[in-house]
Amino acid sequence: LATVISQDPDTGMYQLADEDAESNKVFNLPESQVVVLGGVDRLSRGDIIHAVYPDTTSFYQATVVQPPKKVGGGDSFVMVHFKDDGDEHGITHDKAVSMQHVMRVPYSSY
């Protein structure tokens, strides 16, 4: 997860700052390697997505267990099960993820 610092419309290059609070990394990437978040408006139970794991800045594969709902303040959250996220008893607990931290899985990932 990163924040766009700048984008050069002539070259299509992006300069990005890592969102990890302990990192000062800056990346320069071509437009083809940048996924701009947002635009995921409809999700259904069972959809496979990539979502930022809570308290991290990393995307992991997840399955939607409850479609998005708005909460106080207008933010929308979706309830997911992250792949390989079972506890010591093998139970996978629902986790809430902000819709601003969700993207559809690229087709090549299936």
Side-chain angles (χ1 to χ4, degrees):
L1 187 62
T3 300
V4 175
I5 298 170
S6 65
Q7 191 263 343
D8 185 329
D10 295 328
T11 64
M13 291 296 291
Y14 281 80
Q15 186 176 42
L16 308 165
D18 192 333
E19 280 290 309
D20 187 335
E22 297 176 8
S23 172
N24 292 323
K25 293 182 183 174
V26 174
F27 303 96
N28 293 297
L29 296 172
E31 186 173 24
S32 63
Q33 293 182 7
V34 175
V35 176
V36 177
L37 297 179
V40 177
D41 53 356
R42 295 181 191 203
L43 292 174
S44 300
R45 182 178 175 90
D47 285 351
I48 306 296
I49 60 172
H50 282 170
V52 175
Y53 193 86
D55 300 321
T56 75
T57 58
S58 298
F59 283 88
Y60 293 93
Q61 185 173 315
T63 302
V64 174
V65 294
Q66 280 185 2
K69 290 185 181 179
K70 285 193 177 189
V71 294
D75 291 335
S76 292
F77 287 83
V78 61
M79 297 300 287
V80 302
H81 281 174
F82 283 96
K83 184 177 181 178
D84 301 325
D85 189 38
D87 64 15
E88 65 274 6
H89 304 289
I91 298 170
T92 302
H93 298 278
D94 296 356
K95 293 203 170 46
V97 177
S98 171
M99 284 298 291
Q100 68 181 0
H101 293 143
V102 169
M103 69 179 179
R104 297 227 178 249
V105 177
Y107 290 113
S108 62
S109 296
Y110 282 109

